Amino acid sequence: MNAESVVRFVRTRREATVLAMLVLVFIGLTFASEFFLTGRNLSNVARQISVVGIVALGQALVIIAGGIDLSVGSVIGLSAVTAAIVSATTGMPSLGIAGAIGIGMAIGFANGVLITKLRINPFITTLGTLSIARGAALLITNGNPQRFDNWAAFLGYGKIGDIPVQFILLVVLTILVWLFATRTRWGRNVYAVGDNARAARLAGIDVAKTRILVFTVSGSLAGLGGLLLGGMLTNANPNLGLGYELDVIAAVILGGVALSGGRGSIGGVVIGAALIGLLRNAFVLLNVSGYWQTITIGLVVILAVGADSLNRRSEED
Amino acid sequence: MTDCLLSARGIAKSFDQNRVLHGVDFDISAGQVVALLGENGAGKSTFVNILSGALPRDGGTIRWGGEETVFRDTRSALDAGIIHIHQELSLISSLSVMENLFIGDYMTGRSGLIDRKALAARARELLARVGAGHIDPRVEAGSLSTAEQQIVEIAKALARNARLLILDEPTASLTPHEAEALFAIVRDLRAHGVAIIFISHRFDEVFAISDRVVVLRDGRVVGDRPVAETTRAGIIADMTGRAFTFDALETPVIAEDAPVRLKADAIADKGRVGPVSFALRKGEILGIFGLVGAGRTELLELLCGLRPLAGGTITRPDGVVPRSSTEAWRSGLALLPEGRKTNGILPSLSLAENVAVAKRQKSGGVLDLGAEKSLFARFHEALGIVCSGPGQPIRRLSGGNQQKVIFARCLASEPDILFLDEPTHGVDVRTKADIYKQIQDLAKKGMSVVFVSSELPEVLALASTVMVLSRGRQTLLAANRGLTENDVLTAAFAQA
């Protein structure tokens, strides 16, 4: 790659803009806070990135396929309490893990079927399941947090060496989803469906199955996210993950995925999640009001997407 | 002419390298109905779109009421009184009839609010003028029938003081009775001095209501006569007689004993097309001709499993009758759909990706991206696709090259039967020639091809067998030996 093509790459790829922001924030924090580069803080950051990143991997597939999944935040809450209750009542934490991922998978599958078979718009379908899943979590717990501290919770709070287990999971899942998206027939079909669903159907792609698949993956990963979040806090609160879908969607958009479908890279999504995690950490370290953090994340999303679409326009005309 | 309402001289227009209009001259006076005829692609729509300001012209002048004018956009043409009613109606179905009638120009009272009573009263007046007093102006436009919506469109034109009304195939979806009612309105408008340009494919209507007939062919005016001096045969002769050379092509001869790849026996869908029967042999090229709306695309959809079969049977040697596009491709059928932009390309994906998307349907597991690139390279060469490389997004290519890529997608799946819906629509002459040659070579190698075309010379030059559809019915099926354009057009206009 020569210098010119590097510049072009940075100008035209949103994930490159976001990567530059990430590096800037990282360098800035290194100088601004003496605590930033400590092992303890970095592993905190890694944890913060992990759940958003893992759930964003599934969300990215959904958005690339031209949909959206608003239910992930509620699925996190429902799967966390499912993990706690199932492992407590059966005494088998492995069943708790299966239950958490299973409930997420079931909701994702239901989303996909409702969208493709009943032809309900994805926004509306997942807005509905957002409400249903949260209600179910509150109902089965009567609104009370559940103790969750068996070995299944280890996935959430545990470390291998200095590295949080959930961060390792993020890395492994990123590689798997990236392989799926770029090197498998189904993965490439996701892009085709999101880019032009009619043309994809006429070219022989089973559009409905592809859509059901991405929603099922998204639900499953949100289920895993709930397990990790509950485990990290050793306490499964039915309100866990409230509003999480917004962070997840922001990470996906920052990662360069087009909300209109058909475009986006899996690597970019992890970069987006990392930027959001790092910004959250920055506000804690710099002792700035948490309210500012919410405003800043909104500004960053608008800035990144705005810069990107300005560049894109000058490229295309 | 001194009393000319509109006088166009030397109107020229090109899309990319493709010249669509070569200096069209056209006059129309107040109170005159002029029929504008021509084959699909002759330039009728482009021409009227220039008159109504929807397209900029490349050359020529337009005089409106004696003054030279440039309509920069539809707004300025509308203000002058040129109203173009498109074939697809453009009422906003969720708004009421009266809101549609006065859209953009609501009468507001002193309060700044819309005066619904005044609006309704004025709407009733207008509707009565077009003989549609029975329509309640307060109902949603979407609840009206197609014919009623058409009439509301005309009332809307009156609301804007139309002086020139352009009707683009207004009767395409009307019953004969509804069409007659529409003509009564047209005659009344003419009596009130409105000039009307009438585009139609139905000759009986042309003879019934127009004063003059103008025929376009390949972007040129080839006939301009008072209706009394024209005949059906004369118009057909004007419309065809095309100067495109097909000399290099020879229609292949199919052996009588060539195996049958697909047999359709009285197949039909729910009302749009059928019954249709034919047998397609190995190496045969079946050309399907018909006017727009004759059910050609629907027939291909029926054969490719995209449209449910309501009657008849399809027989194939392997016994597979596809019920979805996925099954069709898997069983050795390939479809190049009509409408490259909406149905063909995956715009932001790469060229290699656009080709491989169908080929993958036959393989599984982890993809070999290198093999996909070399797959593209093969067709890149064979079809002469002009591009910067396999990674280029397809939307950056010209229309003709995009079409070649979609063609490559079909060939990559190595089908037994290739279905092509308007394969040369909107592509330049060179690409056309390339595509014709490919089709013939493929047939020689034993592929069966079914293609739909609106270009008659193309059908006659390429097909070994010709089928004609008219309003969903099969009106001709014959070997392409000694068939004339006249035979085919007569079948296409048949009222079967």
Side-chain angles (χ1 to χ4, degrees):
Chain A
M1 237 190 229
N2 56 26
E4 195 181 319
S5 64
V6 170
V7 170
R8 214 185 96 104
F9 181 80
V10 173
R11 267 175 50 101
T12 54
R13 299 287 288 261
R14 191 187 302 157
E15 54 266 46
T17 319
V18 175
L19 185 63
M21 283 188 189
L22 184 71
V23 171
L24 283 179
V25 174
F26 195 93
I27 294 172
L29 279 175
T30 308
F31 287 106
S33 166
E34 54 191 302
F35 298 111
F36 178 66
L37 274 187
T38 60
R40 193 186 153 82
N41 183 56
L42 284 183
S43 85
N44 263 337
V45 174
R47 278 210 182 105
Q48 238 155 4
I49 294 173
S50 299
V51 175
V52 173
I54 288 170
V55 181
L57 290 173
Q59 183 76 255
L61 292 177
V62 169
I63 295 181
I64 291 170
I68 192 147
D69 187 351
L70 299 177
S71 67
V72 291
S74 298
V75 169
I76 285 174
L78 180 59
S79 71
V81 299
T82 305
I85 291 173
V86 170
S87 47
T89 50
T90 62
M92 291 166 70
S94 55
L95 278 185
I97 298 176
I101 299 175
I103 193 86
M105 188 183 284
I107 293 175
F109 182 75
N111 280 336
V113 169
L114 288 171
I115 288 160
T116 54
K117 303 299 175 196
L118 293 187
R119 296 175 183 265
I120 309 173
N121 169 297
F123 190 96
I124 293 165
T125 303
T126 58
L127 189 64
T129 46
L130 173 150
S131 200
I132 294 169
R134 182 66 67 195
L138 290 163
L139 193 68
I140 56 178
T141 57
N142 222 349
N144 297 317
Q146 310 290 308
R147 256 173 78 91
F148 184 44
D149 53 5
N150 53 50
W151 69 258
F154 176 78
L155 292 174
Y157 70 76
K159 285 186 183 180
I160 294 176
D162 272 342
I163 305 171
V165 176
Q166 46 172 300
F167 189 71
I168 297 171
L169 276 174
L170 171 67
V171 172
V172 172
L173 285 169
T174 303
I175 294 170
L176 286 178
V177 173
W178 175 77
L179 275 175
F180 168 78
T182 57
R183 292 294 145 84
T184 68
R185 177 164 69 98
W186 283 101
R188 298 315 292 166
N189 287 355
V190 169
Y191 282 81
V193 166
D195 200 27
N196 185 345
R198 278 185 64 86
R201 185 174 72 100
L202 290 171
I205 290 176
D206 193 326
V207 173
K209 268 192 198 154
T210 309
R211 287 200 172 127
I212 292 174
L213 176 74
V214 291
F215 277 99
T216 307
V217 170
S218 173
S220 309
L221 290 177
L224 175 63
L227 177 79
L228 299 178
L229 212 53
M232 186 162 75
L233 306 168
T234 64
N235 181 338
N237 187 321
N239 277 317
L240 208 59
L242 201 65
Y244 225 76
E245 58 278 355
L246 299 180
D247 269 15
V248 168
I249 293 169
V252 171
I253 299 302
L254 282 177
V257 174
L259 204 51
S260 51
R263 272 192 299 224
S265 74
I266 298 304
V269 170
V270 177
I271 297 173
L275 180 62
I276 289 185
L278 213 56
L279 283 173
R280 291 220 187 280
N281 185 245
F283 286 99
V284 175
L285 290 182
L286 302 179
N287 210 3
V288 181
S289 156
Y291 304 132
W292 273 110
Q293 130 184 343
T294 313
I295 292 178
T296 308
I297 288 175
L299 288 175
V300 166
V301 169
I302 291 175
L303 195 72
V305 178
D308 174 63
S309 85
L310 271 182
N311 278 330
R312 203 182 283 284
R313 205 179 312 152
S314 61
E315 268 288 300
E316 302 217 325
D317 295 340
Chain B
M1 283 192 212
T2 49
D3 59 340
C4 247
L5 177 67
L6 178 133
S7 170
R9 284 288 168 274
I11 302 298
K13 179 73 189 170
S14 303
F15 293 112
D16 298 324
Q17 266 86 61
N18 205 359
R19 275 200 96 170
V20 185
L21 295 179
H22 303 257
V24 171
D25 297 343
F26 182 88
D27 297 299
I28 189 166
S29 315
Q32 205 178 33
V33 179
V34 177
L36 188 59
L37 302 182
E39 293 185 326
N40 302 321
K44 305 180 301 268
S45 296
T46 307
F47 179 66
V48 293
N49 275 319
I50 287 173
L51 293 187
S52 65
L55 284 174
R57 60 181 188 267
D58 296 344
T61 56
I62 294 176
R63 297 177 80 82
W64 174 248
E67 307 242 337
E68 191 165 331
T69 321
V70 179
F71 295 121
R72 246 173 259 97
D73 49 26
T74 46
R75 183 77 240 171
S76 55
L78 277 177
D79 290 343
I82 300 179
I83 315 273
H84 185 177
I85 299 182
H86 294 263
Q87 199 178 343
E88 315 81 41
L89 299 177
S90 55
L91 294 182
I92 298 172
S93 54
S94 60
L95 293 185
S96 67
V97 169
M98 60 187 191
E99 283 164 323
N100 268 290
L101 286 174
F102 300 106
I103 197 156
D105 186 25
Y106 298 126
M107 283 163 278
T108 47
R110 218 168 301 150
S111 59
L113 296 177
I114 293 172
D115 183 348
R116 295 183 64 84
K117 265 192 191 149
L119 209 59
R122 178 106 174 78
R124 279 199 193 89
E125 240 172 73
L126 278 171
L127 289 169
R129 255 189 80 190
V130 293
H134 62 283
I135 297 177
D136 181 348
R138 289 165 306 183
V139 301
E140 275 187 19
S143 68
L144 301 180
S145 73
T146 312
E148 287 172 326
Q149 291 193 28
Q150 191 103 49
I151 288 168
V152 171
E153 288 262 22
I154 293 176
K156 186 172 149 191
L158 293 183
R160 296 182 155 146
N161 295 317
R163 297 175 66 198
L164 171 63
L165 190 60
I166 301 169
L167 299 172
D168 193 350
E169 297 209 41
T171 58
S173 43
L174 301 188
T175 65
H177 185 71
E178 291 166 337
E180 202 38 65
L182 179 73
F183 293 153
I185 297 169
V186 168
R187 288 191 192 100
D188 180 59
L189 292 176
R190 170 171 59 186
H192 283 87
V194 178
I196 292 157
I197 298 178
F198 178 73
I199 299 178
S200 177
H201 282 298
R202 299 186 183 169
F203 288 169
D204 38 354
E205 299 175 358
V206 170
F207 290 115
I209 69 160
S210 46
D211 302 309
R212 239 173 71 223
V213 179
V214 173
V215 181
L216 282 182
R217 187 211 309 151
D218 291 337
R220 293 187 175 84
V221 175
V222 292
D224 186 346
R225 297 187 188 86
V227 75
E229 296 171 21
T230 50
T231 61
R232 186 178 285 250
I235 294 175
I236 291 180
D238 277 346
M239 281 170 62
T240 56
R242 181 182 303 246
F244 186 89
T245 127
F246 289 97
D247 296 345
L249 301 174
E250 43 184 293
T251 45
V253 179
I254 308 301
E256 291 289 325
D257 59 346
V260 172
R261 283 262 173 76
L262 185 148
K263 193 166 178 301
D265 198 6
I267 59 170
D269 75 340
K270 285 203 191 109
R272 296 294 299 275
V273 64
V276 170
S277 305
F278 66 94
L280 183 71
R281 292 175 188 281
K282 184 179 174 197
E284 183 170 357
I285 305 178
L286 173 65
I288 303 177
F289 182 80
L291 303 173
V292 169
R296 301 167 304 172
T297 296
E298 288 79 0
L299 176 57
L300 290 198
E301 288 177 351
L302 211 52
L303 294 167
C304 292
L306 288 158
R307 181 173 277 268
L309 203 60
T313 51
I314 295 174
T315 325
R316 291 173 67 194
D318 57 4
V320 179
V321 179
R323 281 160 306 164
S324 73
S325 171
T326 314
E327 286 180 15
W329 284 83
R330 237 177 243 156
S331 69
L333 307 182
L335 168 68
L336 183 141
E338 186 187 12
R340 186 169 50 242
K341 277 225 171 76
T342 51
N343 301 333
I345 64 169
L346 301 163
S348 39
L349 301 194
S350 71
L351 301 178
E353 194 85 43
N354 266 284
V355 171
V357 67
K359 170 73 173 172
R360 285 186 197 134
Q361 307 311 308
K362 292 185 167 177
S363 61
V366 171
L367 299 177
D368 183 349
L369 298 186
E372 291 191 351
K373 273 187 188 149
S374 49
L375 180 73
F376 174 75
R378 217 174 83 211
F379 291 108
H380 181 191
E381 192 123 334
L383 301 179
I385 298 167
V386 181
C387 64
S388 66
Q392 194 180 15
I394 194 170
R395 65 169 189 278
R396 300 268 161 92
L397 264 54
S398 73
N401 279 300
Q402 288 181 355
Q403 191 74 334
K404 285 181 181 177
V405 174
I406 308 301
F407 197 65
R409 175 194 295 168
C410 294
L411 301 189
S413 74
E414 291 162 12
D416 297 327
I417 308 177
L418 179 58
F419 292 92
L420 307 168
D421 197 349
E422 297 277 13
T424 62
H425 197 220
V427 305
D428 57 79
V429 177
R430 238 188 104 121
T431 306
K432 275 185 188 175
D434 288 350
I435 291 177
Y436 296 148
K437 194 173 168 322
Q438 284 291 330
I439 292 175
Q440 295 224 311
D441 288 352
L442 291 167
K444 267 183 207 140
K445 287 181 197 146
M447 198 183 284
S448 306
V449 180
V450 178
F451 78 98
V452 159
S453 175
S454 300
E455 291 194 35
L456 188 45
E458 177 174 299
V459 175
L460 288 176
L462 208 56
S464 42
T465 311
V466 176
M467 179 194 292
V468 178
L469 295 180
S470 171
R471 302 193 192 180
R473 304 284 162 74
Q474 182 177 349
T475 51
L476 179 77
L477 179 69
N480 186 12
R481 276 189 297 261
L483 273 182
T484 65
E485 297 203 348
N486 214 330
D487 299 337
V488 177
L489 274 180
T490 307
F493 286 108
Q495 310 277 322

